[in-house]
Amino acid sequence: MLTLGIEGTAHTLGVGIVDSDCNVLANELDMFRPPQGGLHPREAANHHAEVVADVMSRAMEKAGVSPSDIGLVSFSMGPGLGPCLRVAATAARAFACTLGLPIVGVNHCIAHIEIGRALTGCSDPALLYASGGNTQVIAFSEGRYRIFGETQDIGIGNMLDKLGRDLGMGFYAGPEFERLAREGSRYHELPYSVKGMDMAFSGMITAAVALHKKGVPLEDIAFSVQETAFAMLTEVTERAMAHIGKDEVLLGGGVAQNGRLRDMVEDMAHARGAEMFVPDRQFCRDNGAMIAWLGAEMYGSGVRMDIPETVVRQRFRTDDVEVTWRV
Ligand code: ATP
Ligand code: FE2
């Protein structure tokens, strides 16, 4: 059976089509790039509404299928920005109702871990999920995916994007930080905020802007930001792995595309005799294939939803979901 999944939690509207073995037949997307400043939920939602039909058609064309070949529709039910979530949900409901298909709403964070499990060959990893809006360490324990550590303020990607804006970089500053950091070499101290298993990133923006005002070169700022922020992520991930006894670590989220973060986590994993897994780039960032795959797994394990149960949940917690598809 083929599942069509629609992702729409933040700036990406993605549509993926997968079969019951997680062969990805299509994974199309269209990302909203704000003309200036940060992401405005309403503007992103308008963008999603404009492109969703086209991205769905492109995905079916890429997969070489027609709507009548689809057996299940899934969509990102949360967490995310309300207006964006509602566009994805509305498109999914319209498609499902028109074709008389079952519909399943899924948790976006869990979708990141499930696509990684399916495509990289790890079986029971701790997930370091580092994206724009989310920064969490998640692992399966006693029937649920539980959060073992997370940011107390903003996601690490948002920190990079906001700081990038203050430093005059374009939106979506993560890749630019990575490029600059490779040229940097002098480390300047920045707030290392790990409290228990939780992290905070906003203090780093103020401190890094102060370095900039003092004339520290952007390369050294980028280097120092990456070393500090990624060390925080790596420390929390390592402690979670030690605490719950996992010997696999999986990376997910847009920031997982960063080579320096991968190196740090890989070194940590090797030092503990563990293994690191990273899905292909297109499955690290927000994408429709991961939503399709989690929908397929949930449906396969007996989950059914009526339309009234498909309301979006902006603050949908990872541990709210009873995991019925794995033991
Ligand atoms: P979510 O809804 O899960 O919070 P998102 O909407 O932020 O995700 P993603 O595509 O998962 O979307 O991640 C985007 C983030 O990843 C942006 O903050 C971007 O700056 C960051 N990013 C992308 N590439 C890199 C990189 N090479 N290094 C660091 N950060 C990166
Ligand atoms: Fe995400």
Side-chain angles (χ1 to χ4, degrees):
M1 186 182 72
L2 298 184
T3 303
L4 180 142
I6 308 178
E7 155 63 28
T9 54
H11 41 53
T12 299
L13 190 287
V15 178
I17 299 175
V18 303
D19 69 12
S20 353
D21 297 318
C22 200
N23 292 304
V24 178
L25 279 61
N27 193 27
E28 294 295 305
L29 55 86
D30 196 312
M31 191 182 124
F32 173 65
R33 289 174 190 274
Q36 57 189 338
L39 183 76
H40 192 287
R42 193 66 255 164
E43 287 173 8
N46 288 344
H47 160 270
H48 295 353
E50 271 165 32
V51 303
V52 63
D54 180 53
V55 182
M56 288 170 80
S57 308
R58 253 169 41 210
M60 284 186 273
E61 204 174 298
K62 201 60 167 275
V65 301
S66 60
S68 58
D69 297 317
I70 306 290
L72 171 69
V73 182
S74 64
F75 69 97
S76 53
M77 194 149 87
L81 307 169
C84 299
L85 292 170
R86 283 190 283 275
V87 172
T90 305
R93 287 183 206 118
F95 192 74
C97 290
T98 308
L99 295 163
L101 295 175
I103 181 169
V104 173
V106 314
N107 179 292
H108 173 97
C109 307
I110 295 178
H112 275 289
I113 198 166
E114 287 299 318
I115 194 78
R117 283 206 318 132
L119 297 180
T120 67
C122 60
S123 64
D124 186 22
L127 169 73
L128 169 57
Y129 170 31
S131 69
N134 291 286
T135 302
Q136 308 181 330
V137 177
I138 306 170
F140 185 71
S141 173
E142 293 170 14
R144 283 180 196 246
Y145 281 113
R146 299 184 193 274
I147 300 171
F148 287 88
E150 64 186 321
T151 179
Q152 289 295 326
D153 50 20
I154 55 176
I156 183 166
N158 280 355
M159 181 273 287
L160 295 172
D161 295 335
K162 275 191 184 149
L163 174 59
R165 200 161 66 228
D166 290 346
L167 300 179
M169 302 175 190
F171 180 67
Y172 220 55
E176 180 74 355
F177 269 98
E178 179 166 20
R179 194 186 62 73
L180 285 166
R182 268 192 239 113
E183 316 281 312
S185 54
R186 232 189 113 208
Y187 180 77
H188 294 265
E189 198 158 323
L190 289 168
Y192 185 95
S193 323
V194 174
K195 292 192 187 72
M197 290 295 279
D198 291 331
M199 299 157 268
F201 293 101
S202 56
M204 204 170 289
I205 299 180
T206 322
V209 168
L211 290 179
H212 181 57
K213 287 194 177 130
K214 277 202 291 189
V216 174
L218 279 185
E219 290 80 0
D220 289 344
I221 295 178
F223 174 74
S224 307
V225 165
Q226 285 202 171
E227 294 304 303
T228 311
F230 296 167
M232 289 163 58
L233 294 180
T234 308
E235 182 196 327
V236 171
T237 308
E238 174 166 32
R239 274 199 281 137
M241 291 171 74
H243 179 63
I244 45 182
K246 305 277 182 196
D247 58 8
E248 295 173 331
V249 56
L250 174 69
L251 297 189
V255 183
Q257 297 172 76
N258 187 290
R260 179 62 186 139
L261 176 62
R262 292 180 182 201
D263 287 348
M264 281 168 82
V265 174
E266 188 159 40
D267 286 349
M268 175 276 282
H270 285 166
R272 345 181 3 92
E275 206 178 338
M276 180 185 76
F277 299 83
V278 192
D280 197 65
R281 202 181 166 83
Q282 62 168 316
F283 304 112
C284 274
R285 62 184 301 184
D286 288 347
N287 66 90
M290 70 179 192
I291 302 299
W293 174 238
L294 177 53
E297 285 190 297
M298 290 171 68
Y299 188 81
S301 73
V303 174
R304 300 290 181 269
M305 289 183 189
D306 294 325
I307 294 292
E309 293 170 280
T310 61
V311 282
V312 303
R313 298 170 66 178
Q314 292 191 60
R315 292 179 199 288
F316 195 178
R317 295 275 303 175
T318 303
D319 47 15
D320 277 351
V321 179
E322 192 191 338
V323 177
T324 47
W325 60 92
R326 62 173 280 189
V327 282

